[in-house]
Amino acid sequence: MSAGEPTLAHGTIERTSTTLALSPYAALRLYGRGLDLVEWLCRALLVVALVGELGIILWDITARSTIDLSLLWADEAAKLCLTTLAFIGGALAYRAKHHTTVEFVRQLLPAGWREPVAIAIDGLVLVTAATVGYVSLDLLSISALSTTPILQISAAWFVVPLSVGMALVVLFAIERFATDYRPALAWRTLAGVAVTVSIVLAVTALPAIPRPGPQAALGLMLVLFFAAVLLGLPVSFAMLLGSLFFLQLTGTAPLIAAAQNTVDGTGNFILLTLPFFIWTGLIMERGGISLRLVRFAMALVGHLRGGLLQVVVLTIYLVSGISGSKVADVVAVGSVLRGELKKQGYGPERSAAVLAASAAMSETIPPSLAMLVLGSVAPISIGTLFIAGLLPAAVIAVLLMILNWVLAVREGAPRMPRATGPELALAAVAAALPLVMPVLMVVGIRFGFATPTEISAVAVLYGLILACGVYRAFRLRDLVRIVVECGVLSGMVLFIIAAAGSFAWTLTAANLPVALISLLHALGDSRAAFLIGSLALLVVVGSLLEGLPALIILGPLLIPIAGQYGIDSIHYAMVIILAMGIGIFIPPIGIGFYIACAVAESRIEAASRAMIPYLIVLVLGVLAVAFIPWFTHALPNLVGSR
């Protein structure tokens, strides 16, 4: 035994000057190990929730199709699963630093300011989580008075994950303060945060000080929100902080409304498609499916000028029909092609630009998470969205490939040999089974064989059969890791959606829809002005909010306004989803652009310059989709789904 370890003697611990049992380092190590155990238990809970819910959905499909019996309680089980994933998984995502943040502005600060700002940001996370967790206890008490109609369980069970998740965030934030920052600086900065929050609470509680009106409070809230996001506060916590600030400032409703609307934000059954499609995408990516699709795209278009860049565009179009996550597409395709792109002389900045532009193009390819989220918050048919999105993405893909061809000709890039007939046939056979999945999804939803949620569950099962039974790519340990990763990633996405539900409610209470209508009328009371204005709005807000929150907040507000200008909801949905996609991948703020640069191993500055012509083409493509509705309506009209 080393001299630094505690020793047992007659049932007591010998406390020597070298013993670490009383040192802060040992206490911190013990605290970290305790949190590791808690995290392991939470991960096990996520696995149980995901696997259990998958089993329920698949059993419901089987029972309905064989004995005409449906599980009436499946909706209540799904809601419990979603709240567990959102708040427990969201907390684990915070510890793993997976939550979406915008680091651009913080990196521009002087070096001496960056650590204090990071500490202050984590301090705001702690304050937000502690406040939401505290008010959720009142919601817990109220919910305990009612029971669910089918399972007859206490409604409080749907609130418990929020309370537990916020408590976990507080514990993880404390760990981050103790391990990531200098102790003295952390204490001073946290004291400053505590004083600032106390002053705000004291000022808003004084009866002598008049409360601002909704418009003034909305302005202050938006300033706080965007400042916090730009300094690095995760978007989900920034939305919760903004909601709490507005409610505290105006007294429009008690703070419990923030907790209630956060829980309600996960209550839509259709949201189960998100974890299931994320799960499917992970299975396909880790099971070597992406490599087969890359080889197929190489055989099809690799001989064109700009060969490998053309392969990137086509492969992302194909892969997007499986994963649903455009960031996952960038990682999957970029990691497979990165080495070959370098070998053939393509600069990393060009590779990053094409990856980012292609991912922005593919936002309307089913099963896009953006489509699923928009369909869950607006009265739009997800099946019709799936069919309508294929042609707009194809139009922009063709424009990107034309740009690749033009740049390759101008630079004198060499051409690769055309694939022979046998090579093309072999690549097509290898890609056939993966490509069956998007076809089944679109056909199944369009012709009513199953709901989007059921299709997503079948997609998981199909992916497992393909990866394990056909390709034999996984062991049991690998499958467990994938389910855990799915739970954490799903938790991050669902937590953003839950927080956006609360934030959207707050914006509605602040009369933002009226302000938006006034602003758009001021730009020019015409269809063209509305389309261009809302496009610009979605690009900017999408870049700041990582896309999905922008859709959740602005989609339900803008779609009814679009109807007043004679723009149908399916067409307008394509426009705003594509605009949001540009925002996610626009330099230098879009989080997707950073990921594309990281995958391509490119510097941000060089990739930003290379991205300029691709941004121009993306904007032209979106404008073409916006002003030529035929691109959106052609396929739905063809299959009769409008």
Side-chain angles (χ1 to χ4, degrees):
M1 181 176 293
S2 65
E5 293 180 352
T7 58
L8 292 176
H10 306 293
T12 62
I13 298 179
E14 295 179 2
R15 292 174 170 82
T16 65
S17 59
T18 58
T19 296
L20 294 178
L22 297 180
S23 72
Y25 301 104
L28 180 59
R29 193 160 56 243
L30 183 63
Y31 183 73
R33 288 175 179 171
L35 290 185
D36 289 341
L37 176 60
V38 171
E39 180 171 352
W40 186 90
L41 293 173
C42 291
R43 287 173 179 258
L45 178 62
L46 296 182
V47 170
V48 171
L50 274 171
V51 174
E53 189 57 40
L54 177 65
I56 290 171
I57 299 297
L58 293 176
W59 174 256
D60 193 27
I61 296 171
T62 304
R64 190 181 66 244
S65 59
T66 56
I67 58 177
D68 197 24
L69 175 67
S70 293
L71 302 178
L72 298 179
W73 46 268
D75 188 63
E76 293 177 7
K79 186 175 181 180
L80 187 58
C81 172
L82 287 168
T83 56
T84 301
L85 288 173
F87 304 121
I88 305 299
L92 298 186
Y94 171 72
R95 192 187 194 201
K97 299 183 179 179
H98 286 334
H99 276 277
T100 302
T101 58
V102 177
E103 303 285 346
F104 172 68
V105 174
R106 191 194 301 176
Q107 296 304 318
L108 297 179
L109 296 175
W113 281 88
R114 294 174 192 168
E115 187 176 0
V117 169
I119 298 170
I121 290 300
D122 281 318
L124 289 177
V125 169
L126 189 149
V127 169
T128 303
T131 304
V132 173
Y134 177 74
V135 298
S136 73
L137 297 179
D138 290 335
L139 181 61
L140 201 63
S141 303
I142 296 170
S143 301
L145 301 176
S146 58
T147 58
T148 61
I150 307 298
L151 290 176
Q152 290 295 300
I153 61 174
S154 172
W157 282 109
F158 301 115
V159 184
V160 167
L162 175 63
S163 303
V164 173
M166 294 302 97
L168 288 173
V169 171
V170 170
L171 294 175
F172 295 150
I174 293 171
E175 178 192 36
R176 193 175 291 188
F177 294 135
T179 58
D180 290 8
Y181 308 117
R182 288 173 288 173
L185 182 61
W187 280 113
R188 289 198 302 269
T189 307
L190 286 175
V193 172
V195 169
T196 303
V197 172
S198 300
I199 291 174
V200 171
L201 291 175
V203 169
T204 55
L206 289 175
I209 299 178
R211 294 182 183 270
Q215 296 297 323
L218 174 63
L220 291 172
M221 180 191 72
L222 292 178
V223 168
L224 170 67
F225 170 74
F226 284 113
V229 168
L230 291 174
L231 289 174
L233 183 64
V235 173
S236 50
F237 289 100
M239 289 188 288
L240 287 176
L241 178 64
S243 299
L244 293 171
F245 178 77
F246 180 85
L247 294 174
Q248 179 68 25
L249 193 62
T250 63
T252 303
L255 295 183
I256 194 176
Q260 177 67 68
N261 287 290
T262 301
V263 172
D264 290 345
T266 63
N268 197 326
F269 185 76
I270 193 68
L271 291 177
L272 266 180
T273 55
L274 298 178
F276 286 161
F277 278 130
I278 290 173
W279 194 353
T280 304
L282 290 173
I283 292 171
M284 292 300 193
E285 177 190 342
R286 307 292 163 78
I289 311 301
S290 301
L291 181 59
R292 289 170 170 83
L293 294 176
V294 167
R295 289 171 178 166
F296 179 52
M298 185 87 72
L300 284 176
V301 299
H303 61 281
L304 300 177
R305 284 294 185 96
L308 274 184
L309 299 181
Q310 312 289 28
V311 171
V312 170
V313 177
L314 181 57
T315 304
I316 286 190
Y317 191 98
L318 296 176
V319 171
S320 293
I322 296 173
S323 73
S325 169
K326 306 316 160 193
V327 171
D329 298 341
V330 168
V331 175
V333 176
S335 59
V336 171
L337 285 172
R338 179 176 54 212
E340 192 64 27
L341 283 163
K342 286 183 179 179
K343 186 186 300 183
Q344 295 198 18
Y346 294 98
E349 64 279 356
R350 176 70 63 79
S351 302
V354 176
L355 275 171
S358 302
M361 164 274 296
S362 67
E363 279 291 354
T364 61
I365 299 173
S368 167
L369 298 185
M371 286 183 173
L372 295 168
V373 168
L374 187 59
S376 71
V377 298
I380 303 176
S381 165
I382 292 179
T384 305
L385 281 177
F386 276 14
I387 297 171
L390 292 170
L391 190 54
V395 169
I396 300 177
V398 169
L399 293 177
L400 291 175
M401 294 179 75
I402 291 173
L403 175 60
N404 283 334
W405 185 86
V406 170
L407 293 177
V409 170
R410 191 180 70 179
E411 296 165 2
R415 301 180 65 168
M416 296 171 59
R418 182 188 294 268
T420 64
E423 289 173 340
L424 180 58
L426 189 62
V429 169
L433 288 177
L435 291 175
V436 166
M437 184 182 294
V439 175
L440 289 177
M441 285 189 292
V442 173
V443 171
I445 294 174
R446 162 64 187 90
F447 293 101
F449 297 127
T451 66
T453 304
E454 292 169 343
I455 287 292
S456 65
V458 172
V460 175
L461 180 62
Y462 181 79
L464 288 171
I465 293 172
L466 208 58
C468 299
V470 178
Y471 302 136
R472 301 187 181 277
F474 295 132
R475 296 172 298 174
L476 179 61
R477 181 181 301 177
D478 300 321
L479 290 174
V480 173
R481 286 200 190 102
I482 286 175
V483 179
V484 170
E485 186 175 350
C486 172
V488 175
L489 290 176
S490 302
M492 178 195 70
V493 175
L494 289 169
F495 187 73
I496 290 174
I497 291 172
S502 177
F503 196 60
W505 181 89
T506 303
L507 293 177
T508 302
N511 294 323
L512 181 64
V514 176
L516 269 179
I517 292 173
S518 300
L519 174 62
L520 291 169
H521 282 319
L523 294 175
D525 196 9
S526 70
R527 175 191 176 109
F530 171 75
L531 281 172
I532 294 173
S534 55
L535 276 173
L537 178 66
L538 261 296
V539 169
V540 173
V541 178
S543 67
L544 295 173
L545 301 189
E546 195 266 327
L548 292 183
L551 281 182
I552 298 168
I553 294 166
L554 296 177
L557 300 180
L558 292 174
I559 288 174
I561 302 175
Q564 298 175 14
Y565 287 99
I567 306 170
D568 74 273
S569 58
I570 298 296
H571 175 213
Y572 190 65
M574 293 301 109
V575 173
I576 61 177
I577 288 173
L578 287 170
M580 179 214 71
I582 293 177
I584 296 174
F585 290 94
I586 193 171
I589 298 177
I591 188 68
F593 182 73
Y594 284 102
I595 294 171
C597 290
V599 171
E601 298 178 347
S602 168
R603 292 189 304 111
I604 300 291
E605 298 82 359
S608 297
R609 288 192 294 271
M611 187 70 180
I612 292 173
Y614 291 94
L615 274 177
I616 294 172
V617 167
L618 284 173
V619 171
L620 291 175
V622 176
L623 288 173
V625 172
F627 288 97
I628 306 176
W630 182 86
F631 290 136
T632 297
H633 296 319
L635 289 181
N637 288 338
L638 185 64
V639 300
S641 67
R642 287 194 64 199

